[in-house]
Amino acid sequence: MFTGRPHTAQPPTPTARIDFMTGHPFGARRPRSRFATASRATRILFCTNECVGLGHIRRTLTLAAAVTERDPDASALVVTGAPLAPGAQLPPRVDTVKLPMLKRDPAGLGARNLVMESGDLLALRSSLALAAAAAFAPDVAVIDKLPLGLGGELEPTLSALRAAGTSIVLGLRDVEEDAVMVRRRWREMGAREALRRYYDAVLVYGPPGGGADALSCVGYDDLAASVHHVGYIGAPLPSRPPADLPSDYVLATVGGGADGFPVLAAVIDGVRVRPLTMPVVVVAGPLMDPGEVKELRRRAAGLPVHVFEARPDMDAVVAGARGVVAMAGYNTVAEITRAGHPAVLVPRVGPSAEQLIRARALAESGSFAMIHPDELTPARMADELHAMLERPRPRYEPAEHCGAGVAAGILADMATAPRAGRALAAVG
C-alpha cells in the first residue's frame, strides 16, 4: 500500500539540473513577462492522477489541447500512468511521459503489470516524474486531484518546480467524495501545508456553487492560492454522428470499461426483455476484460444491438445518440449534458462515492434517471430505457461547459506573468 512520502533518497539539488533550452541551471531561470518577445515558447506540464479508467487522462488531454490551440507556439507534456485509448491521437504539440501502471486492490495501490513491491514502484514513479519535470522545465505545472500526488509521489517534483520558480496549479473535479472522507484524507496527507507551500492557484473543473469539490469539502478559505471555478472541461461535440452508425440509436457506454460489464449486460438483457423502437450501440471500453466483451456479443446475438470494443470517436458517438446509458464519471456526464441528451446513470459506488454523489444530484434535478447498482436488473433497465426516450431533452447551459478555454486562459496568463522572487516561496 502506498502511504506517506516516496521511499527515495533525497533528490539532487534542483539548481544543479541544467535547463537544456537556456544552458543555465534549472533553478536559475530569469523572470519572464508577457511582453518578452525574445523568450522561449511556453511549456505546460500536466501530472495526472490515475488508477482505474481513463477519465483523468481524457480530461488532461482536453486541457492540453486547449492550451496549445490558444498559443500556437506552446507545448504541453503529460506525465501519466494511464494508457492512451486505442485509436486516440495526441493533440498538436502535446506529448506524454508514461509511468508504470497502478491497480487498486484491498491492500491499497500496487503495480498493475510489473512485479514490484508497492514502495519500490512508488519510488520509480516518483523518480520518473521528477526527471521529466526537471528536463522539461515548465512555466506552469498542473497537478491533478491530489496536492502531493498518489502516496506523496510528486513531492520531490513539486519541491524542484517551486525552487525553479514554476507556477503550480491544482486541478479538482466538480465532485470529489463524501465530505467527511475528503476531510480525513486531506488531513492525513497534509494537504493544507502542501497547498500553502507549493501552490499558486486551484482550478475547479465545474461551475460555481456546486459545493462538492474537494476544496469546498475541506473548507479551506484562508489559502493564498487563488481559486477559479472554470466550468466543465470538454471539447466541442461534433455536429454530425459517425457515418457507420444508425441515424437514431441509444448509446450504452461505461468509459474505460474496467468495471462496466454489469451495466452493459443489463442494457442488452433489458432490450431482449422489452425491445426498443431503435437500435442500441454498446461501447465496452478498452479496459474491459476480453472475455466480458465476448460475453456481451453473445448476449447481443439476434438483437438490434451493435457491440464495439472501443471507439476512437466517442465524442461523435455521444453527440449522435438519442439517449445515453452510462456510469457517472466526470467526462461522460459532461459530454451527455453538453449534448443535451436524456440519460440513465448507473454510478460506481466504491471505493469512492464520487459517481454516486454526482448521479444523485442529477437525478434530483430531473435531468437524468439513476439506478443504484444494487437495484440493477434487466427489467428495471428496460423500464428506464423506455422512460428515457419519453423524457424531453434536458436544458443545456453553454456557459457551464467552457472550462477548457477558461482554464487555458488562466494557465497562459500564469505562464507569461513576471515571476521574480517566486522561487523564494519554496522556503518552508
Side-chain angles (χ1 to χ4, degrees):
M1 181 175 180
F2 291 168
T3 57
R5 294 185 169 86
H7 306 293
T8 57
Q10 187 69 20
T13 303
T15 53
R17 298 179 178 273
I18 299 300
D19 183 334
F20 296 106
M21 178 64 72
T22 66
H24 297 296
F26 177 61
R29 287 188 287 122
R30 59 182 179 273
R32 296 177 58 227
S33 157
R34 71 185 65 195
F35 305 109
T37 58
S39 63
R40 68 167 198 187
T42 295
R43 299 179 188 179
I44 309 293
L45 177 72
F46 293 91
C47 295
T48 71
N49 178 82
E50 90 296 317
C51 186
V52 177
L54 301 174
H56 290 279
I57 185 64
R58 286 187 60 201
R59 183 170 59 247
T60 298
L61 289 176
T62 299
L63 276 170
V67 166
T68 56
E69 181 179 354
R70 179 185 180 91
D71 181 351
D73 294 321
S75 294
L77 182 66
V78 179
V79 177
T80 181
L84 290 179
Q89 298 204 354
L90 292 172
R93 300 180 309 286
V94 176
D95 214 331
T96 63
V97 170
K98 179 69 171 61
L99 304 180
M101 291 182 68
L102 297 168
K103 69 176 180 180
R104 182 180 283 124
D105 55 39
L109 297 178
R112 181 178 293 274
N113 298 323
L114 301 178
V115 182
M116 296 183 71
E117 295 295 329
S118 60
D120 292 339
L121 179 67
L122 180 60
L124 173 59
R125 285 171 52 99
S126 181
S127 297
L128 291 172
L130 174 60
F136 189 58
D139 301 292
V140 180
V142 183
I143 310 301
D144 191 27
K145 185 181 177 180
L146 299 173
L148 294 174
L150 286 160
E153 66 182 358
L154 293 179
E155 185 156 20
T157 297
L158 291 165
S159 181
L161 291 172
R162 199 58 173 163
T166 298
S167 297
I168 305 178
V169 178
L170 179 65
L172 300 175
R173 291 180 306 211
D174 62 328
V175 177
E176 183 54 39
E177 168 64 288
D178 172 75
V180 174
M181 185 68 69
V182 174
R183 287 193 289 269
R184 181 176 67 81
R185 289 177 179 172
W186 276 44
R187 182 174 62 252
E188 290 174 352
M189 75 175 72
R192 180 188 285 274
E193 174 60 18
L195 286 165
R196 186 196 69 79
R197 179 181 291 267
Y198 298 119
Y199 285 88
D200 299 287
V202 178
L203 301 182
V204 179
Y205 303 140
D213 62 272
L215 201 58
S216 296
C217 289
V218 297
Y220 298 169
D221 55 6
D222 57 349
L223 299 175
S226 58
V227 180
H228 309 268
H229 289 75
V230 300
Y232 295 110
I233 303 295
L237 291 175
S239 58
R240 296 182 180 180
D244 65 320
L245 295 183
S247 58
D248 209 15
Y249 59 88
V250 168
L251 170 65
T253 175
V254 287
D259 56 353
F261 173 81
V263 178
L264 301 185
V267 170
I268 296 172
D269 294 345
V271 170
R272 189 176 293 279
V273 168
R274 188 178 174 193
L276 296 174
T277 58
M278 62 187 68
V280 176
V281 173
V282 171
V283 182
L287 302 183
M288 184 171 287
D289 182 270
E292 293 180 335
V293 178
K294 183 178 180 180
E295 173 61 15
L296 291 176
R297 291 198 168 107
R298 187 195 68 78
R299 296 186 185 212
L303 297 176
V305 176
H306 308 265
V307 178
F308 296 90
E309 184 174 350
R311 297 277 308 204
D313 56 347
M314 277 304 297
D315 53 351
V317 176
V318 171
R322 171 64 181 82
V324 182
V325 179
M327 298 175 78
Y330 177 95
N331 296 289
T332 301
V333 168
E335 288 177 347
I336 296 170
T337 54
R338 190 163 65 252
H341 294 328
V344 178
L345 300 179
V346 186
R348 179 186 298 124
V349 296
S352 165
E354 171 224 346
Q355 291 198 11
L356 182 60
I357 293 170
R358 184 180 291 112
R360 280 177 171 165
L362 289 167
E364 289 171 0
S365 73
S367 301
F368 292 30
M370 187 193 90
I371 304 176
H372 192 283
D374 293 344
E375 302 170 351
L376 181 62
T377 65
R380 173 69 185 279
M381 179 61 74
D383 289 344
E384 293 294 355
L385 286 171
H386 283 267
M388 176 182 72
L389 295 177
E390 296 296 323
R391 286 200 302 273
R393 294 173 66 91
R395 187 176 62 179
Y396 164 58
E397 298 289 350
E400 295 183 353
H401 291 268
C402 299
V406 174
I410 293 170
L411 297 178
D413 288 345
M414 294 181 71
T416 56
R419 55 187 48 200
R422 182 174 294 156
L424 296 177
V427 178

